[in-house]
Amino acid sequence: MSLAAGQALACTGIVLHAEDGGTVPARTMEFGFDIQSNIYAVPAGTEIETLALDADQSGFTFTAQYGFLGANAFDYPVVFDGLNTEGLYFGAFYFAGPAVFGEATEDNRDRAVSSDELGNWILGQFSTVEEVRAALPTIEVVGTHIEVINGFAPFHYSVVDASGEAIVIQYTAEGLTVHENSVNAVTNNPSYDWHLTNLRNYIGLQAENREAISVGDLSLPAFGQGSGMVGLPGDFSSPSRFVRAVAFANSALPSSTSDDAVFQAFHILNAFDIPKGAIRDVGAGGVHTDYTVWSSAADTANRAYYYKTYNTQAVEMVDVRAAVSGMEEPSVLTMESGFVAVDRTSDF
């Protein structure tokens, strides 16, 4: 089975900014089947080898300067979405088609990081977006073969720090591009600058209901509430979700605290929750239906990582600093614990 053909195309991310200065990036994770995510936690001081998922290649080893944790997949020692002890958030979003990476060679293996493990490198090494931006040219992000998906991981990446700085990192045929996440949203294809241009098609949208208008001698009032958002696209395509994410993230009422922003973020993400059967991809392996496997929110101020899964809609939380404190080696926490909301910090 090849996921690169398009079976994980519907992830949606937003960024909320609280009045107390807190920043909360949040996102959904969609796939055509259960990717068996759990929480992978890594303490500071851990030696991490790059190109670890490619049996035919070896990269270089670096030491994690900061502890971090987040969601993995298929029991891999890789964080695809997570937060470190300094409040730096990282999220990988599917970018099949436009994503172009280099190849690992003898000449570049001392600086080669696979597209699937960029989260480990960023969360383990850096505390701010500025540091990440400065360091990206020093590595070669490569596409290495991953057996379970029969191809490389075609991602682009959202990085947000505790100050509120946010960027989207893309590798395409043009090379590395770092976009400012100026509208508090990220989805999938096409490239980020295309999505920003596409917003011009929706400049008439507003949160306020429309007043009645006159056409000749006829008065045309709105049918009811929500007339300001009439024309907002409602399908699950990446461009439509991007427009909705921008609309909801930027029209949301101000959150007083980071806690409030986390609460609000999950409510917004509910608008992007995809039920099984709404998106179908028919291939040689049968019918696959994209659905929301899990959703997450990161409190960058308080270093808390929140999530809920398809099987248990209760929101759970892990305190990043408490989780990795005293940990001597990486550890895995089962994500789905049933239908009871608990503070998972005590499980570490």
Side-chain angles (χ1 to χ4, degrees):
M1 178 184 301
S2 175
L3 296 186
Q7 297 182 15
L9 301 179
C11 304
T12 302
I14 59 173
V15 182
L16 299 184
H17 303 275
E19 292 179 322
D20 66 356
T23 299
V24 174
R27 59 92 56 84
T28 65
M29 169 63 83
E30 279 76 25
F31 249 76
F33 58 89
D34 185 3
I35 58 173
Q36 303 166 36
S37 293
N38 285 304
I39 300 299
Y40 183 62
V42 179
T46 300
E47 290 192 350
I48 300 173
E49 182 180 353
T50 68
L51 310 187
L53 300 187
D54 192 326
D56 300 324
Q57 298 282 349
S58 61
F60 65 94
T61 300
F62 66 92
T63 301
Q65 303 301 307
Y66 307 110
F68 62 91
L69 59 78
N72 68 0
F74 308 117
D75 201 32
Y76 290 150
V78 174
V79 168
F80 294 108
D81 182 82
L83 185 68
N84 73 10
T85 56
E86 310 309 297
L88 185 69
Y89 164 82
F90 169 90
F93 290 74
Y94 228 63
F95 196 50
V100 176
F101 302 104
E103 295 184 4
T105 67
E106 289 296 328
D107 293 334
N108 68 19
R109 69 168 53 195
D110 62 343
R111 62 181 186 281
V113 179
S114 181
S115 61
D116 53 84
E117 61 192 11
L118 190 61
N120 285 7
W121 185 76
I122 286 177
L123 293 177
Q125 299 291 92
F126 308 108
S127 62
T128 67
V129 163
E130 182 179 0
E131 291 176 358
V132 173
R133 190 196 300 269
L136 285 171
T138 69
I139 61 170
E140 180 83 15
V141 177
V142 300
T144 60
H145 185 83
I146 302 174
E147 183 176 355
V148 72
I149 64 173
N150 193 28
F152 71 91
F155 290 137
H156 65 169
Y157 312 94
S158 173
V159 180
V160 183
D161 67 26
S163 76
E165 289 294 313
I167 58 174
V168 176
I169 302 165
Q170 293 185 168
Y171 292 89
T172 65
E174 286 71 43
L176 167 65
T177 305
V178 179
H179 299 278
E180 297 290 339
N181 187 346
S182 54
V183 294
N184 301 310
V186 59
T187 56
N188 315 103
N189 309 358
S191 63
Y192 197 75
D193 53 336
W194 185 97
H195 284 292
L196 296 180
T197 300
N198 185 52
L199 288 177
R200 297 182 183 182
N201 288 314
Y202 302 93
I203 58 176
L205 294 176
Q206 61 184 44
E208 295 77 16
N209 290 319
R210 297 287 185 177
E211 299 291 335
I213 65 170
S214 296
V215 179
D217 294 330
L218 180 65
S219 177
L220 296 176
F223 282 115
Q225 298 298 310
S227 60
M229 288 291 186
V230 167
L232 185 71
D235 61 78
F236 292 121
S237 68
S238 176
S240 294
R241 286 182 288 103
F242 189 91
V243 174
R244 291 207 307 281
V246 170
F248 297 156
N250 292 283
S251 65
L253 295 178
S255 298
S256 298
T257 66
S258 294
D259 283 345
D260 294 334
V262 169
F263 183 79
Q264 187 168 57
F266 278 108
H267 276 291
I268 293 174
L269 293 182
N270 286 340
F272 298 91
D273 194 76
I274 300 176
K276 289 184 178 180
I279 298 177
R280 304 186 186 196
D281 187 64
V282 181
V287 178
H288 298 273
T289 63
D290 262 28
Y291 70 100
T292 304
V293 181
W294 48 260
S295 300
S296 72
D299 181 344
T300 62
N302 295 304
R303 280 55 160 176
Y305 186 73
Y306 296 80
Y307 62 90
K308 65 177 183 176
T309 73
Y310 179 85
N311 289 332
T312 171
Q313 289 287 288
V315 176
E316 304 188 23
M317 184 274 283
V318 182
D319 182 312
V320 179
R321 290 175 292 195
V324 300
S325 177
M327 186 182 291
E328 296 183 356
E329 60 183 17
S331 180
V332 176
L333 168 67
T334 301
M335 222 181 193
E336 296 172 347
S337 63
F339 294 94
V340 180
V342 294
D343 180 344
R344 303 313 306 272
T345 304
S346 60
D347 287 349
F348 282 88

